[in-house]
């Protein structure tokens, strides 16, 4: 592959001067927190389900696969549809699917029913993420990176609750504890009705522009396709490594240090909570120093910590997880904004592609990693995955955005 020589990202002919609508940003970020907290119920249940249903690591990986693939495959499709036909009230409707998934997880009597319930949670996520990203984009004004950070930090915070759920909800209550999270869906639906009304007003005033087929063929050049492909591969590497830590590191600690299920959750929580902090600061840093530089740093900067993690004591695991989680997630929102600038006018499709399809590749990784752990052992799997952040070197072949070019001139 040859590096992209011609810069593809430009400041644009008409920069936005619209004000940043903070109340909408905070509302959609809150719903993102609630939505991803419900998603976090799925991995939070893994240790409980593994014991009660006697699941293998491969079966644990398949739960993640069905859940994430349902979300991931549908996200670009939802985004493509709503780019052409914006549907404000699709947001609360999708949240109803997540509510159904919570009920299903609480009552599932077998592994097959767990997979079915997880798919409903994934369906709700598939509807929410591209439309939620569109709302954040609309409310951003000129502060696109900052707005995506506000939006994405809600999701990362929700995901970070998974180990706390395991320790404080599912260890004492077991699988039926999932029913309590229907209250998250109910609150999200109430907030989304207000957001959807604002969204509908933006449609009425012409603030949201539908994108026609002609615009797609004019914008998506071969160079842009190449850059998007590289970006998906970069997000894929980040997703596979994150999946190895968030889904399987707890089992690694249980095997290596003989800890119990509740004790290992603090380590996973530290990694995911640090990720929420990194996500928040990533957007403003990208607005200041450039998106390309933040994307490169997020993986290459995390690589030394990832390589060390499988070999350190419990004492050193704390600072390594803290630093690595923050650095690795600093590009979480930045990659979305970067891709939106590559294909302007396709906010829903691009958001679904980057946060959906690319994370679907990570879902496949969960199955592969689970099978790998069953065959070769959890320690070997974690050591092998520690090399994934090095794929961040692919960023060197991406076009630099305006701020990055100026900083390196």
């Amino acid at each position: 592959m040859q590096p992209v020589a011609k810069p593809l990202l430009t400041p644009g002919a008409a920069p936005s001067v619209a004000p940043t609508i903070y109340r909408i940003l905070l509302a959609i970020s809150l719903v993102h927190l609630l939505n991803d907290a419900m998603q976090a119920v799925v991995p939070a249940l893994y240790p409980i389900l593994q014991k009660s249903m006697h699941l293998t690591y491969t079966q644990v990986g398949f739960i993640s696969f069905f859940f994430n693939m349902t979300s991931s495959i549908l996200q670009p499709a939802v985004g493509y549809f709503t780019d052409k036909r914006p549907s404000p009230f699709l947001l609360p409707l999708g949240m109803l699917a997540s509510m159904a998934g919570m009920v299903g997880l609480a009552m599932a009597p077998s592994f097959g029913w767990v997979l079915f319930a997880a798919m409903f949670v994934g369906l709700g996520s598939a509807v929410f993420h591209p439309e939620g990203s569109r709302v954040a984009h609309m409310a951003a004004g000129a502060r696109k990176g900052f707005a995506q950070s506000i939006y994405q930090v809600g999701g990362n915070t929700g995901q970070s609750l998974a180990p706390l759920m395991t320790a404080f909800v599912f260890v004492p209550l077991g699988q039926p504890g999932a029913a309590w999270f229907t209250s998250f869906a109910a609150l999200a639906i109430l907030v989304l009705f207000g957001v959807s009304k604002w969204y509908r007003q933006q449609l009425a005033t012409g603030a949201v522009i539908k994108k026609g087929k002609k615009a797609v063929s004019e914008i998506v050049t071969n160079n842009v396709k190449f850059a998007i492909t590289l970006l998906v591969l970069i997000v894929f590497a980040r997703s596979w490594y994150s999946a190895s830590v968030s889904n399987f590191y707890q089992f690694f600690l249980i095997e290596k240090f003989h800890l119990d299920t509740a004790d290992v959750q603090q380590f996973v929580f530290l990694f995911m909570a640090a990720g929420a902090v990194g996500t928040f600061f990533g957007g403003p840093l990208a607005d200041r120093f450039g998106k390309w530089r933040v994307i490169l740093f997020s993986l290459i900067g995390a690589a030394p910590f990832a390589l060390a993690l499988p070999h350190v004591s419990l004492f050193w695991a704390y600072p390594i997880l803290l630093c690595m989680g923050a650095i690795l997630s600093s590009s979480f929102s930045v990659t979305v904004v970067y891709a939106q600038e590559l294909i302007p006018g396709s906010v829903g499709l691009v958001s679904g592609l980057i946060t959906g399809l690319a994370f679907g590749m990570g879902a496949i990784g969960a199955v592969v990693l689970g099978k790998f752990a069953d065959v070769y052992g959890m320690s070997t799997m974690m050591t092998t995955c520690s090399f994934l952040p090095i794929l961040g070197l692919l960023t060197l072949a991406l076009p630099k955005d305006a701020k990055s070019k100026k900083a390196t001139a």
Side-chain angles (χ1 to χ4, degrees), residues 213-235:
K213 293 182 179 179
K214 184 178 180 180
V216 176
S217 62
E218 290 175 350
I219 292 171
V220 184
T221 65
N222 288 334
N223 281 346
V224 169
K225 290 177 181 178
F226 174 72
I228 286 289
T229 300
L230 282 183
L231 195 63
V232 168
L233 288 174
I234 291 166
V235 175

Side-chain angles (χ1 to χ4, degrees), residues 46-399:
Y46 290 164
I48 308 303
L49 295 173
Q50 188 198 33
K51 288 184 178 179
S52 64
M53 296 184 180
H54 308 290
L55 305 181
T56 65
Y57 291 131
T58 303
Q59 287 176 306
V60 171
F62 265 110
I63 299 173
S64 180
F65 175 81
F66 273 79
F67 159 59
N68 283 296
M69 286 302 289
T70 303
S71 168
S72 303
I73 290 177
L74 290 178
Q75 275 193 50
V78 172
Y80 180 78
F81 172 79
T82 55
D83 278 337
K84 294 186 173 184
R85 298 183 60 183
S87 307
F89 289 94
L90 196 61
L91 283 164
L93 185 63
M95 202 57 62
L96 285 174
S98 294
M99 180 181 285
M102 290 299 101
V103 175
L105 285 173
M107 301 176 63
S110 64
F111 175 65
W113 281 104
V114 170
L115 295 180
F116 187 67
M119 289 173 64
F120 268 85
V121 181
L123 176 62
S125 180
V127 172
F128 172 76
H129 279 103
E131 282 297 88
S133 186
R134 185 194 308 280
V135 169
H137 184 82
M138 290 161 52
R143 307 186 67 185
K144 302 301 183 186
F146 172 77
Q148 278 297 325
S149 287
I150 293 293
Y151 169 65
Q152 297 290 357
V153 78
N156 281 35
T157 303
Q159 291 172 16
S160 72
L161 297 177
L164 298 183
M165 294 175 186
T166 302
F168 297 112
V169 178
F170 297 121
V171 168
L173 298 180
Q175 185 181 340
W180 286 99
F181 293 93
T182 56
S183 61
F184 282 37
L187 176 59
I189 289 170
L190 289 175
V191 176
L192 284 175
F193 268 112
V195 171
S196 296
K197 290 179 181 178
W198 177 84
Y199 185 171
R200 185 175 59 183
Q201 291 172 355
Q202 300 307 298
L203 289 175
T205 59
V208 180
I209 301 174
K210 299 178 185 179
K211 182 177 63 62
K213 293 182 179 179
K214 184 178 180 180
V216 176
S217 62
E218 290 175 350
I219 292 171
V220 184
T221 65
N222 288 334
N223 281 346
V224 169
K225 290 177 181 178
F226 174 72
I228 286 289
T229 300
L230 282 183
L231 195 63
V232 168
L233 288 174
I234 291 166
V235 175
F236 149 77
R238 188 183 66 199
S239 299
W240 267 48
Y241 183 70
S242 294
S244 73
V245 178
S246 59
N247 292 338
F248 295 108
Y249 187 60
Q250 56 188 323
F251 299 115
F252 170 81
L253 291 174
I254 290 171
E255 286 189 7
K256 185 174 181 178
F257 297 104
H258 308 291
L259 303 178
D260 61 34
T261 300
D263 288 339
V264 299
Q265 302 309 315
Q266 59 185 312
F267 295 93
V268 182
F269 172 74
L270 186 64
F271 171 74
M272 300 181 77
V277 175
T279 298
F280 176 77
F281 286 104
L285 287 173
D287 287 339
R288 174 66 178 85
F289 298 106
K291 291 170 281 295
W292 182 88
R293 294 164 71 88
V294 172
I295 294 171
L296 177 64
F297 171 72
S298 71
L299 277 89
I300 300 305
F305 298 102
L307 291 169
L309 184 63
H311 311 289
V312 299
S313 66
L314 288 175
F315 174 82
W316 287 106
Y318 288 103
I320 285 177
L321 288 167
L322 182 65
C323 294
M324 183 175 64
I327 295 171
L328 191 66
S329 294
S330 62
S331 65
F332 197 90
S333 61
V334 177
T335 50
V336 176
V337 179
Y338 183 96
Q340 288 172 349
E341 292 186 3
L342 282 173
I343 311 179
S346 301
V347 175
L349 174 62
V350 169
S351 300
L353 181 67
I354 297 303
T355 62
L357 185 59
F359 283 98
M361 296 166 71
I364 296 173
V367 177
V368 174
L369 296 178
K371 183 64 176 178
F372 193 97
D374 281 332
V375 175
Y376 298 103
M378 185 59 65
S379 180
T380 302
M381 187 275 284
M382 290 300 303
T383 301
T384 303
C385 287
S386 67
F387 290 89
L388 284 170
I390 296 175
L391 290 176
L393 289 171
L394 290 171
T395 307
L396 296 172
L398 286 174

